[in-house]
Coordinates of all heavy atoms in Angstrom, one line a residue:
M22 N -6.9 4.9 -8.3 CA -6.7 3.6 -8.6 C -8.2 2.8 -8.3 O -8.7 3.1 -7.3 CB -5.7 2.9 -7.8 CG -6.0 1.4 -7.3 SD -4.6 0.7 -6.4 CE -5.1 -1.0 -6.4
P23 N -8.8 2.2 -9.3 CA -10.1 1.6 -9.1 C -10.1 0.5 -8.0 O -9.2 -0.2 -7.8 CB -10.4 1.0 -10.4 CG -9.2 1.0 -11.3 CD -8.2 1.8 -10.6
L24 N -11.3 0.3 -7.2 CA -11.4 -0.5 -6.2 C -12.2 -1.7 -6.6 O -13.4 -1.4 -7.0 CB -12.0 0.2 -5.1 CG -11.9 -0.4 -3.6 CD1 -10.4 -0.2 -3.1 CD2 -12.7 0.5 -2.7
P25 N -11.7 -2.9 -6.6 CA -12.5 -4.0 -6.9 C -13.6 -4.4 -5.8 O -13.2 -4.4 -4.6 CB -11.6 -5.2 -7.1 CG -10.3 -4.8 -6.3 CD -10.4 -3.3 -6.3
C26 N -14.9 -4.5 -6.2 CA -15.9 -4.9 -5.3 C -15.6 -6.2 -4.7 O -15.4 -7.2 -5.4 CB -17.2 -4.8 -5.8 SG -18.6 -5.4 -4.9
P27 N -15.7 -6.4 -3.3 CA -15.4 -7.7 -2.8 C -16.6 -8.7 -3.0 O -16.4 -10.0 -2.9 CB -15.2 -7.5 -1.3 CG -15.9 -6.2 -1.0 CD -15.9 -5.3 -2.3
V28 N -17.8 -8.2 -3.4 CA -18.9 -9.0 -3.6 C -19.0 -9.5 -5.1 O -19.0 -10.7 -5.3 CB -20.2 -8.3 -3.2 CG1 -21.5 -9.2 -3.4 CG2 -20.2 -7.8 -1.8
C29 N -19.0 -8.6 -6.0 CA -19.1 -8.9 -7.4 C -17.9 -8.7 -8.3 O -17.9 -9.0 -9.5 CB -20.3 -8.2 -7.9 SG -20.0 -6.4 -8.3
K30 N -16.8 -8.2 -7.7 CA -15.5 -8.0 -8.5 C -15.5 -6.9 -9.5 O -14.6 -6.7 -10.2 CB -15.0 -9.3 -9.1 CG -15.0 -10.5 -8.3 CD -13.9 -10.5 -7.3 CE -13.9 -11.8 -6.4 NZ -13.8 -11.6 -5.0
A31 N -16.7 -6.2 -9.4 CA -16.6 -4.9 -10.4 C -15.7 -3.9 -10.0 O -15.6 -3.7 -8.8 CB -18.0 -4.4 -10.4
E32 N -15.0 -3.2 -10.9 CA -14.1 -2.1 -10.5 C -14.9 -0.9 -10.3 O -15.6 -0.5 -11.1 CB -13.0 -2.0 -11.7 CG -12.2 -3.2 -12.0 CD -11.0 -3.3 -11.2 OE1 -10.5 -2.4 -10.6 OE2 -10.7 -4.5 -10.8
N33 N -14.5 -0.2 -9.2 CA -15.2 1.0 -8.9 C -14.3 2.2 -8.7 O -13.4 2.1 -8.0 CB -16.0 0.8 -7.5 CG -17.2 -0.1 -7.7 OD1 -18.2 0.3 -8.1 ND2 -17.0 -1.4 -7.4
D34 N -14.6 3.3 -9.5 CA -13.7 4.5 -9.4 C -14.3 5.5 -8.3 O -13.6 6.2 -7.9 CB -13.7 5.1 -10.8 CG -13.0 4.4 -11.9 OD1 -11.9 3.9 -11.5 OD2 -13.5 4.2 -12.9
A35 N -15.6 5.3 -8.0 CA -16.2 6.2 -7.0 C -17.0 5.5 -6.1 O -17.7 4.5 -6.5 CB -16.9 7.3 -7.8
G36 N -17.2 5.9 -4.9 CA -18.0 5.3 -3.9 C -19.3 6.1 -3.8 O -19.6 6.9 -4.6
P37 N -20.1 5.8 -2.7 CA -19.8 4.9 -1.7 C -20.3 3.5 -2.1 O -20.0 2.6 -1.3 CB -20.5 5.5 -0.4 CG -21.6 6.2 -1.0 CD -21.2 6.7 -2.3
A38 N -21.1 3.3 -3.0 CA -21.8 2.0 -3.3 C -21.2 1.5 -4.6 O -20.9 2.2 -5.4 CB -23.2 2.1 -3.4
C39 N -21.2 0.1 -4.7 CA -20.7 -0.5 -5.8 C -21.6 -0.1 -7.0 O -22.8 -0.2 -6.9 CB -20.6 -2.0 -5.7 SG -20.2 -3.0 -7.2
R40 N -21.0 0.2 -8.2 CA -21.8 0.7 -9.3 C -22.7 -0.6 -9.8 O -23.8 -0.4 -10.6 CB -21.0 1.1 -10.4 CG -20.0 0.3 -11.0 CD -19.2 0.9 -12.1 NE -18.0 0.0 -12.4 CZ -18.2 -1.1 -13.2 NH1 -19.2 -1.4 -13.8 NH2 -17.0 -1.8 -13.5
R41 N -22.3 -1.8 -9.6 CA -23.0 -2.9 -10.2 C -24.0 -3.5 -9.2 O -25.2 -3.7 -9.4 CB -22.1 -4.0 -10.7 CG -22.8 -5.1 -11.5 CD -21.9 -6.3 -11.7 NE -20.8 -6.0 -12.7 CZ -19.6 -6.8 -12.7 NH1 -19.6 -7.9 -12.0 NH2 -18.8 -6.6 -13.7
C42 N -23.5 -3.9 -8.0 CA -24.3 -4.7 -7.1 C -24.7 -3.8 -5.9 O -25.5 -4.3 -5.0 CB -23.6 -5.9 -6.5 SG -22.3 -5.6 -5.3
K43 N -24.3 -2.5 -5.8 CA -24.7 -1.6 -4.8 C -24.3 -1.9 -3.3 O -24.8 -1.4 -2.4 CB -26.2 -1.3 -4.8 CG -26.9 -1.0 -6.1 CD -26.4 0.4 -6.6 CE -26.9 0.6 -8.1 NZ -26.0 1.4 -8.8
A44 N -23.3 -2.7 -3.2 CA -22.7 -3.1 -2.0 C -22.1 -1.8 -1.3 O -21.6 -1.0 -2.2 CB -21.7 -4.2 -2.1
D45 N -22.2 -1.6 -0.1 CA -21.6 -0.5 0.6 C -20.1 -0.7 0.6 O -19.7 -1.5 1.4 CB -22.2 -0.3 2.0 CG -21.8 1.0 2.6 OD1 -21.1 1.9 2.0 OD2 -22.1 1.2 3.8
L46 N -19.4 0.3 -0.1 CA -18.0 0.2 -0.1 C -17.4 1.4 0.7 O -16.1 1.7 0.6 CB -17.5 0.4 -1.5 CG -18.0 -0.8 -2.5 CD1 -17.6 -0.6 -3.9 CD2 -17.7 -2.2 -2.1
T47 N -18.1 2.0 1.6 CA -17.5 3.2 2.2 C -16.3 2.9 3.1 O -15.3 3.6 2.9 CB -18.7 3.6 3.3 OG1 -19.9 3.8 2.7 CG2 -18.2 5.0 3.9
M48 N -16.3 1.8 3.7 CA -15.1 1.3 4.6 C -13.9 1.0 3.8 O -12.8 1.6 4.1 CB -15.4 0.0 5.4 CG -16.3 0.3 6.6 SD -15.5 1.1 7.9 CE -14.4 -0.1 8.5
L49 N -14.2 0.5 2.6 CA -13.1 0.2 1.7 C -12.4 1.4 1.1 O -11.1 1.7 1.0 CB -13.5 -0.7 0.5 CG -13.7 -2.1 0.8 CD1 -14.3 -2.9 -0.2 CD2 -12.4 -2.8 1.4
F50 N -13.3 2.5 0.8 CA -12.8 3.8 0.2 C -12.1 4.5 1.3 O -11.1 5.1 1.0 CB -13.9 4.5 -0.4 CG -14.3 4.1 -1.8 CD1 -15.3 3.4 -2.2 CD2 -13.5 4.6 -2.8 CE1 -15.6 3.0 -3.5 CE2 -13.6 4.2 -4.2 CZ -14.7 3.5 -4.5
T51 N -12.6 4.4 2.5 CA -11.9 5.1 3.6 C -10.6 4.6 3.9 O -9.5 5.2 3.9 CB -12.8 5.0 4.9 OG1 -14.1 5.4 4.6 CG2 -12.2 5.8 6.1
I52 N -10.4 3.2 3.8 CA -9.2 2.5 4.0 C -8.1 2.9 2.8 O -7.0 3.2 3.1 CB -9.3 1.1 4.1 CG1 -9.9 0.7 5.4 CG2 -7.9 0.4 4.0 CD1 -10.4 -0.8 5.6
E53 N -8.7 3.0 1.6 CA -7.8 3.3 0.4 C -7.4 4.7 0.6 O -6.2 5.0 0.3 CB -8.6 3.1 -0.8 CG -8.7 1.7 -1.4 CD -7.2 1.1 -1.6 OE1 -6.5 1.7 -2.2 OE2 -7.1 0.0 -1.0
E54 N -8.2 5.6 1.0 CA -7.8 7.0 1.2 C -6.7 7.1 2.2 O -5.8 7.8 2.0 CB -9.1 7.8 1.7 CG -9.1 9.1 1.1 CD -10.5 9.8 1.4 OE1 -11.4 9.5 0.5 OE2 -10.7 10.5 2.4
Q55 N -6.8 6.5 3.4 CA -5.9 6.5 4.4 C -4.6 6.0 4.0 O -3.5 6.5 4.2 CB -6.3 5.6 5.7 CG -7.2 6.3 6.6 CD -7.7 5.4 7.8 OE1 -7.3 4.2 7.9 NE2 -8.6 5.9 8.6
R56 N -4.7 4.9 3.1 CA -3.4 4.1 2.6 C -2.8 5.0 1.7 O -1.5 5.3 1.7 CB -4.0 2.9 1.9 CG -2.8 2.1 1.4 CD -3.4 0.9 0.8 NE -2.4 -0.1 0.3 CZ -1.7 0.0 -0.9 NH1 -2.0 1.0 -1.7 NH2 -0.9 -0.9 -1.2
A57 N -3.5 5.8 0.8 CA -2.8 6.7 -0.2 C -2.1 7.8 0.6 O -1.0 8.3 0.3 CB -3.9 7.3 -1.1
Q58 N -2.8 8.3 1.7 CA -2.3 9.4 2.5 C -0.9 8.9 3.2 O 0.1 9.5 3.2 CB -3.2 9.8 3.6 CG -3.8 11.2 3.5 CD -5.0 11.5 4.3 OE1 -4.9 11.0 5.5 NE2 -5.8 12.3 3.8
T59 N -1.0 7.6 3.7 CA 0.1 7.2 4.5 C 1.3 6.9 3.5 O 2.4 7.2 3.9 CB -0.3 5.9 5.2 OG1 -1.5 6.1 5.9 CG2 0.8 5.4 6.1
L60 N 1.0 6.4 2.3 CA 2.1 6.2 1.4 C 2.7 7.6 1.0 O 3.8 7.6 0.7 CB 1.4 5.4 0.1 CG 2.3 4.5 -0.6 CD1 3.0 3.6 0.3 CD2 1.6 3.8 -1.7
G61 N 1.8 8.6 0.8 CA 2.3 9.9 0.6 C 3.3 10.3 1.6 O 4.3 11.0 1.3
D62 N 2.9 10.1 2.9 CA 3.8 10.5 4.0 C 5.1 9.8 3.9 O 6.2 10.3 4.1 CB 3.1 10.0 5.3 CG 2.0 10.9 5.8 OD1 1.8 12.0 5.1 OD2 1.2 10.5 6.6
A63 N 5.1 8.5 3.5 CA 6.3 7.8 3.4 C 7.2 8.4 2.3 O 8.4 8.5 2.5 CB 6.0 6.3 3.0
Q64 N 6.6 8.8 1.2 CA 7.3 9.4 0.1 C 7.9 10.7 0.5 O 9.1 10.9 0.2 CB 6.4 9.7 -1.1 CG 6.1 8.3 -1.9 CD 5.1 8.6 -3.0 OE1 4.5 9.7 -3.1 NE2 4.9 7.6 -3.8
R65 N 7.1 11.6 1.3 CA 7.7 12.8 1.7 C 8.8 12.6 2.7 O 9.8 13.3 2.6 CB 6.5 13.7 2.3 CG 5.7 14.4 1.2 CD 4.7 15.4 2.0 NE 3.7 14.7 2.8 CZ 2.7 14.1 2.2 NH1 2.4 14.3 0.9 NH2 1.7 13.5 2.8
S66 N 8.6 11.7 3.7 CA 9.7 11.4 4.6 C 11.0 10.9 3.9 O 12.0 11.4 4.3 CB 9.3 10.4 5.6 OG 8.1 10.8 6.3
F67 N 10.8 10.1 2.9 CA 11.9 9.6 2.2 C 12.7 10.7 1.5 O 13.8 10.7 1.5 CB 11.5 8.6 1.2 CG 12.5 7.8 0.4 CD1 13.2 6.7 1.1 CD2 13.0 8.3 -0.8 CE1 14.2 6.0 0.5 CE2 14.0 7.5 -1.4 CZ 14.6 6.4 -0.7
A68 N 11.9 11.5 0.8 CA 12.6 12.7 0.1 C 13.2 13.6 1.1 O 14.3 14.2 0.7 CB 11.5 13.5 -0.7
A69 N 12.8 13.7 2.4 CA 13.5 14.5 3.3 C 14.6 13.8 4.0 O 15.2 14.3 5.0 CB 12.4 15.0 4.4
G70 N 14.8 12.5 3.6 CA 16.0 11.8 4.3 C 15.5 11.2 5.7 O 16.4 10.7 6.4
K71 N 14.2 11.3 6.0 CA 13.8 10.7 7.3 C 13.4 9.2 7.0 O 12.2 8.8 6.9 CB 12.6 11.4 7.8 CG 13.0 12.9 8.1 CD 11.7 13.8 8.5 CE 12.0 15.2 8.7 NZ 10.7 15.9 8.8
Y72 N 14.4 8.4 7.0 CA 14.1 6.9 6.5 C 13.4 6.1 7.6 O 12.6 5.3 7.2 CB 15.4 6.2 6.2 CG 16.2 7.0 5.0 CD1 17.5 7.3 5.1 CD2 15.5 7.3 3.8 CE1 18.1 7.9 4.1 CE2 16.1 7.9 2.8 CZ 17.5 8.3 2.9 OH 18.1 8.9 1.9
T73 N 13.6 6.4 8.8 CA 12.9 5.7 9.9 C 11.3 6.0 9.9 O 10.5 5.2 9.9 CB 13.4 6.0 11.3 OG1 14.8 5.8 11.3 CG2 12.8 5.1 12.3
E74 N 11.1 7.4 9.8 CA 9.6 7.7 9.5 C 9.0 7.2 8.2 O 7.8 6.7 8.2 CB 9.6 9.3 9.5 CG 9.7 9.9 10.9 CD 9.7 11.5 10.8 OE1 8.8 12.0 10.1 OE2 10.4 12.1 11.5
A75 N 9.8 7.3 7.2 CA 9.3 6.7 5.9 C 8.9 5.1 6.1 O 7.9 4.8 5.6 CB 10.3 6.8 4.8
Y76 N 9.8 4.5 6.8 CA 9.6 3.1 7.0 C 8.3 2.8 7.9 O 7.6 1.9 7.6 CB 10.9 2.6 7.8 CG 11.0 1.1 8.1 CD1 10.7 0.2 7.1 CD2 11.3 0.6 9.3 CE1 10.8 -1.2 7.3 CE2 11.5 -0.7 9.6 CZ 11.2 -1.6 8.6 OH 11.3 -2.9 8.8
T77 N 8.2 3.6 9.0 CA 6.9 3.4 9.8 C 5.7 3.7 8.9 O 4.8 2.9 9.0 CB 7.0 4.5 10.9 OG1 8.2 4.3 11.6 CG2 5.8 4.2 11.9
S78 N 5.8 4.6 8.1 CA 4.5 5.0 7.2 C 4.3 3.8 6.3 O 3.2 3.5 6.0 CB 4.7 6.3 6.5 OG 4.9 7.4 7.4
A79 N 5.4 3.4 5.7 CA 5.2 2.3 4.6 C 4.6 1.1 5.2 O 3.8 0.4 4.7 CB 6.6 2.1 4.0
R80 N 5.2 0.7 6.5 CA 4.6 -0.5 7.2 C 3.1 -0.3 7.5 O 2.4 -1.3 7.4 CB 5.4 -0.7 8.4 CG 6.7 -1.5 8.1 CD 7.3 -2.1 9.4 NE 7.3 -1.1 10.4 CZ 7.9 -1.2 11.5 NH1 8.5 -2.2 11.9 NH2 7.9 -0.1 12.4
H81 N 2.8 1.0 7.9 CA 1.4 1.3 8.2 C 0.5 1.1 7.0 O -0.6 0.5 7.0 CB 1.2 2.7 8.8 CG -0.1 3.0 9.2 ND1 -0.6 4.3 9.4 CD2 -1.2 2.2 9.6 CE1 -1.9 4.3 9.8 NE2 -2.2 3.1 9.9
A82 N 0.9 1.5 5.9 CA 0.3 1.5 4.5 C 0.0 0.0 4.2 O -1.0 -0.4 3.6 CB 0.9 2.2 3.4
N83 N 1.1 -0.7 4.4 CA 1.1 -2.2 4.2 C 0.1 -3.0 5.1 O -0.6 -3.9 4.6 CB 2.5 -2.8 4.4 CG 2.7 -4.2 3.8 OD1 2.3 -4.5 2.7 ND2 3.0 -5.2 4.8
E84 N -0.2 -2.5 6.3 CA -1.2 -3.1 7.2 C -2.6 -2.8 6.7 O -3.5 -3.6 6.7 CB -0.9 -2.6 8.6 CG 0.1 -3.3 9.3 CD 0.6 -2.6 10.5 OE1 -0.2 -1.7 11.1 OE2 1.7 -2.7 11.0
L85 N -2.7 -1.6 6.1 CA -4.0 -1.2 5.7 C -4.4 -2.1 4.4 O -5.4 -2.6 4.3 CB -4.0 0.3 5.3 CG -4.0 1.3 6.4 CD1 -3.8 2.7 6.0 CD2 -5.2 1.2 7.3
R86 N -3.5 -2.2 3.5 CA -3.6 -3.2 2.4 C -2.3 -3.3 1.7 O -1.7 -2.4 1.1 CB -4.6 -2.7 1.4 CG -4.8 -3.7 0.2 CD -5.9 -3.2 -0.8 NE -5.6 -1.9 -1.4 CZ -4.7 -1.8 -2.5 NH1 -4.1 -2.9 -2.9 NH2 -4.4 -0.6 -3.0
P87 N -1.9 -4.6 1.8 CA -0.6 -4.9 1.0 C -0.7 -4.7 -0.4 O -1.9 -5.0 -0.9 CB -0.1 -6.2 1.4 CG -1.1 -6.7 2.5 CD -2.4 -5.8 2.4
G88 N 0.3 -4.3 -1.2 CA 0.3 -4.2 -2.6 C 1.7 -4.0 -3.2 O 2.6 -3.7 -2.4
P89 N 1.8 -4.1 -4.4 CA 3.1 -4.1 -5.1 C 3.6 -2.6 -4.8 O 5.0 -2.5 -4.8 CB 2.9 -4.4 -6.6 CG 1.4 -4.3 -6.8 CD 0.8 -4.6 -5.4
D90 N 2.9 -1.6 -4.8 CA 3.3 -0.2 -4.7 C 3.9 -0.1 -3.4 O 5.1 0.5 -3.1 CB 2.2 0.7 -4.9 CG 1.0 0.5 -4.0 OD1 0.9 -0.6 -3.5 OD2 0.1 1.4 -4.1
V91 N 3.3 -0.6 -2.3 CA 4.0 -0.6 -0.9 C 5.2 -1.4 -0.8 O 6.2 -1.1 -0.2 CB 2.9 -0.9 0.2 CG1 3.5 -0.9 1.6 CG2 1.7 -0.1 0.0
A92 N 5.1 -2.7 -1.5 CA 6.1 -3.6 -1.3 C 7.5 -3.0 -1.9 O 8.6 -3.2 -1.4 CB 5.8 -4.9 -2.1
R93 N 7.3 -2.2 -3.0 CA 8.5 -1.5 -3.5 C 9.1 -0.6 -2.5 O 10.4 -0.5 -2.4 CB 8.1 -0.8 -4.9 CG 8.2 -1.6 -6.0 CD 8.1 -0.7 -7.4 NE 6.8 -0.3 -7.6 CZ 5.9 -1.0 -8.3 NH1 6.2 -2.2 -8.8 NH2 4.7 -0.5 -8.5
W94 N 8.3 0.2 -1.8 CA 8.9 1.1 -0.8 C 9.5 0.3 0.2 O 10.6 0.7 0.8 CB 7.7 2.0 -0.3 CG 7.5 3.2 -1.1 CD1 6.5 3.3 -2.0 CD2 8.3 4.3 -1.3 NE1 6.6 4.5 -2.7 CE2 7.7 5.2 -2.2 CE3 9.6 4.7 -0.6 CZ2 8.3 6.4 -2.6 CZ3 10.2 5.8 -1.1 CH2 9.5 6.7 -1.9
L95 N 8.8 -0.7 0.7 CA 9.4 -1.6 1.8 C 10.7 -2.2 1.4 O 11.6 -2.2 2.3 CB 8.4 -2.7 2.2 CG 7.2 -2.2 3.1 CD1 6.2 -3.3 3.4 CD2 7.7 -1.6 4.4
A96 N 10.8 -2.6 0.2 CA 12.1 -3.3 -0.2 C 13.2 -2.3 -0.1 O 14.3 -2.5 0.4 CB 12.0 -3.7 -1.7
V97 N 13.0 -1.0 -0.6 CA 14.1 0.0 -0.5 C 14.4 0.4 0.9 O 15.5 0.5 1.3 CB 13.5 1.3 -1.3 CG1 14.6 2.4 -1.1 CG2 13.4 1.0 -2.8
L98 N 13.3 0.5 1.7 CA 13.5 0.9 3.1 C 14.1 -0.2 3.9 O 15.0 0.2 4.8 CB 12.2 1.4 3.7 CG 11.7 2.7 3.1 CD1 10.3 2.9 3.4 CD2 12.5 3.9 3.6
H99 N 13.9 -1.3 3.6 CA 14.6 -2.6 4.3 C 16.0 -2.5 4.0 O 16.9 -2.6 4.8 CB 13.9 -3.8 3.9 CG 12.6 -4.1 4.7 ND1 12.6 -4.1 6.1 CD2 11.5 -4.6 4.2 CE1 11.4 -4.5 6.5 NE2 10.7 -4.8 5.4
L100 N 16.3 -2.2 2.8 CA 17.8 -2.2 2.3 C 18.5 -1.1 3.1 O 19.6 -1.3 3.6 CB 17.9 -1.9 0.8 CG 17.8 -3.1 -0.1 CD1 17.9 -2.6 -1.7 CD2 18.9 -4.1 0.1
I101 N 17.9 0.1 3.2 CA 18.5 1.2 3.8 C 18.9 0.8 5.3 O 19.8 1.3 5.8 CB 17.7 2.6 3.7 CG1 17.7 3.0 2.3 CG2 18.1 3.5 4.7 CD1 16.7 4.2 2.0
H102 N 17.9 0.1 5.9 CA 18.1 -0.3 7.3 C 18.9 -1.5 7.4 O 19.1 -2.0 8.6 CB 16.8 -0.5 8.0 CG 16.0 0.9 8.2 ND1 15.2 1.4 7.2 CD2 16.1 1.8 9.2 CE1 14.8 2.6 7.7 NE2 15.3 2.9 8.9
G103 N 19.3 -2.1 6.4 CA 20.2 -3.3 6.5 C 19.5 -4.6 6.6 O 20.0 -5.6 7.1
H104 N 18.1 -4.6 6.4 CA 17.4 -5.9 6.6 C 17.2 -6.5 5.2 O 16.3 -6.4 4.5 CB 15.9 -5.5 7.1 CG 15.8 -4.6 8.4 ND1 14.8 -3.8 8.6 CD2 16.7 -4.5 9.4 CE1 15.0 -3.2 9.9 NE2 16.2 -3.6 10.2
F105 N 18.3 -7.2 4.9 CA 18.4 -7.8 3.5 C 17.4 -8.9 3.4 O 16.8 -9.0 2.2 CB 19.8 -8.3 3.2 CG 20.8 -7.0 3.4 CD1 21.7 -7.0 4.4 CD2 20.7 -6.0 2.5 CE1 22.7 -6.0 4.6 CE2 21.6 -5.0 2.6 CZ 22.6 -4.9 3.6
G106 N 17.1 -9.7 4.3 CA 16.1 -10.8 4.1 C 14.7 -10.3 3.9 O 14.1 -10.7 2.9
E107 N 14.4 -9.2 4.6 CA 13.1 -8.6 4.5 C 12.9 -7.8 3.2 O 12.0 -7.9 2.5 CB 12.7 -7.6 5.6 CG 12.4 -8.3 6.9 CD 13.5 -8.3 7.9 OE1 14.6 -8.5 7.4 OE2 13.3 -8.3 9.1
A108 N 14.0 -7.2 2.8 CA 14.2 -6.6 1.5 C 13.9 -7.5 0.3 O 13.1 -7.2 -0.6 CB 15.5 -5.9 1.3
W109 N 14.5 -8.6 0.4 CA 14.4 -9.7 -0.6 C 12.9 -10.2 -0.7 O 12.3 -10.3 -1.8 CB 15.4 -10.8 -0.4 CG 15.2 -12.0 -1.3 CD1 15.0 -13.2 -1.1 CD2 15.5 -11.9 -2.8 NE1 14.9 -13.9 -2.2 CE2 15.2 -13.2 -3.3 CE3 15.7 -10.8 -3.8 CZ2 15.3 -13.5 -4.7 CZ3 16.0 -11.2 -5.0 CH2 15.7 -12.4 -5.5
Q110 N 12.3 -10.4 0.5 CA 10.9 -10.9 0.5 C 10.0 -9.8 -0.1 O 9.1 -10.1 -0.9 CB 10.5 -11.1 2.0 CG 10.8 -12.5 2.5 CD 10.4 -12.7 3.9 OE1 9.8 -11.8 4.5 NE2 10.7 -13.8 4.4
A111 N 10.2 -8.5 0.3 CA 9.3 -7.4 -0.3 C 9.5 -7.4 -1.7 O 8.6 -7.2 -2.5 CB 9.7 -6.1 0.3
Y112 N 10.8 -7.5 -2.2 CA 11.0 -7.4 -3.6 C 10.3 -8.6 -4.4 O 9.8 -8.3 -5.4 CB 12.5 -7.5 -3.8 CG 12.9 -7.7 -5.3 CD1 12.8 -6.6 -6.2 CD2 13.4 -8.8 -5.9 CE1 13.1 -6.5 -7.5 CE2 13.7 -8.9 -7.3 CZ 13.6 -7.8 -8.1 OH 13.8 -7.9 -9.4
Q113 N 10.3 -9.8 -3.8 CA 9.6 -10.9 -4.4 C 8.1 -10.7 -4.6 O 7.4 -11.0 -5.5 CB 9.9 -12.2 -3.7 CG 11.3 -12.7 -4.0 CD 11.6 -13.9 -3.2 OE1 11.2 -14.0 -2.0 NE2 12.2 -14.9 -3.9
T114 N 7.6 -9.9 -3.6 CA 6.2 -9.6 -3.5 C 5.9 -8.7 -4.7 O 4.8 -8.8 -5.4 CB 5.8 -8.9 -2.3 OG1 6.3 -9.6 -1.1 CG2 4.2 -8.7 -2.1
T115 N 6.8 -7.8 -5.1 CA 6.5 -6.9 -6.1 C 6.5 -7.7 -7.4 O 5.7 -7.3 -8.4 CB 7.6 -5.8 -6.3 OG1 8.8 -6.3 -6.6 CG2 7.7 -4.9 -5.0
C116 N 7.2 -8.7 -7.4 CA 7.3 -9.5 -8.8 C 6.0 -10.4 -8.9 O 5.4 -10.5 -10.0 CB 8.5 -10.5 -8.7 SG 10.1 -9.6 -8.8
Q117 N 5.7 -10.9 -7.8 CA 4.5 -11.8 -7.8 C 3.1 -11.1 -8.3 O 2.3 -11.6 -9.0 CB 4.1 -12.4 -6.4 CG 4.9 -13.6 -6.1 CD 4.9 -13.9 -4.6 OE1 4.1 -13.3 -3.9 NE2 6.0 -14.5 -4.1
H118 N 3.0 -9.8 -7.8 CA 1.8 -9.1 -8.1 C 1.9 -8.0 -9.3 O 1.1 -7.3 -9.4 CB 1.2 -8.4 -6.9 CG 0.9 -9.4 -5.8 ND1 -0.2 -10.3 -5.9 CD2 1.7 -9.7 -4.7 CE1 -0.1 -11.1 -4.8 NE2 1.0 -10.7 -4.1
G119 N 3.0 -8.2 -10.1 CA 3.2 -7.3 -11.2 C 4.0 -6.1 -10.8 O 3.9 -5.1 -11.4
Ligands
ZN389 ZN1 -20.3 -5.1 -6.4

């Protein structure tokens, strides 16, 4: 997924510097990588029926950077844990951001 530069808003497919304004995006790419890994952990835990672990991973990914992909996972995992209010909030987040 392309990373928008926080300085000039250019979409960047590869780091470590912005293709347009040359801003250093190393930290952002590192965070995105961690987030993708954490979200992968959530998916694997979910597939293995480890819902509590999946929930922990999804929340961690959300802390790294919230987004509609994480919100979808959080909505499902909140439902499984009986947190209907949080599930509804997470679901609304997925609608707001597409
Ligand atoms: Zn830039």
